[in-house]
Amino acid sequence: MQLVDPRPSRPIPIRITPLIDVVFILLVFFMLTSRLLPTSFLELDNSTAPGQSVDGDPLPELVVEASGQVRWQDQAWALPALMQELRRSQVTEVNLATSGEAQLTDFTRTLTTLKTAGIEPHWQRSAPAQESE
């Protein structure tokens, strides 16, 4: 008399359909419950030591415009002239923003030029334009 059924000779296939369903449900759950928080400034390089307070004057704000010029202190500057003025003013760190119509190439050129000159840029994402009602 045999109490246990003999094992079949061929392997039993593993069904992965329930596993795929569970993974899909988890994916949907995390996509719906997570959210991306907007940030106003994205620091590209942080040289502040832990525990060190940040004092002093506010950082100069540069805005890359659609024309490719950079606005600083209510004046539009060509990039080479702006770099000379920033060196003369001994600026070592700036906030960099873009106007809504600015080209990515102008932003990248400005960012690269600032970093090459030893000026630490912090990129400010501009707020979405509000539609007038």
Side-chain angles (χ1 to χ4, degrees), residues 42-120:
L42 175 65
E43 291 191 24
L44 300 178
D45 190 14
N46 186 3
S47 62
T48 306
Q52 178 183 356
S53 65
V54 179
D55 295 332
D57 298 328
L59 296 177
E61 185 166 329
L62 309 177
V63 180
V64 180
E65 296 182 334
S67 63
Q69 293 187 325
V70 182
R71 182 162 293 282
W72 179 46
Q73 297 178 338
D74 296 326
Q75 253 185 326
W77 297 79
L79 195 53
L82 175 66
M83 295 311 298
Q84 289 178 354
E85 185 63 26
L86 290 174
R87 280 190 211 107
R88 190 183 67 73
S89 301
Q90 298 179 346
V91 174
T92 59
E93 199 170 357
V94 297
N95 288 331
L96 183 62
T98 58
S99 67
E101 304 82 26
Q103 300 265 338
L104 178 61
T105 54
D106 296 330
F107 170 74
T108 307
R109 183 181 311 112
T110 305
L111 183 69
T112 304
T113 305
L114 288 168
K115 289 184 100 174
T116 303
I119 299 173
E120 295 184 38

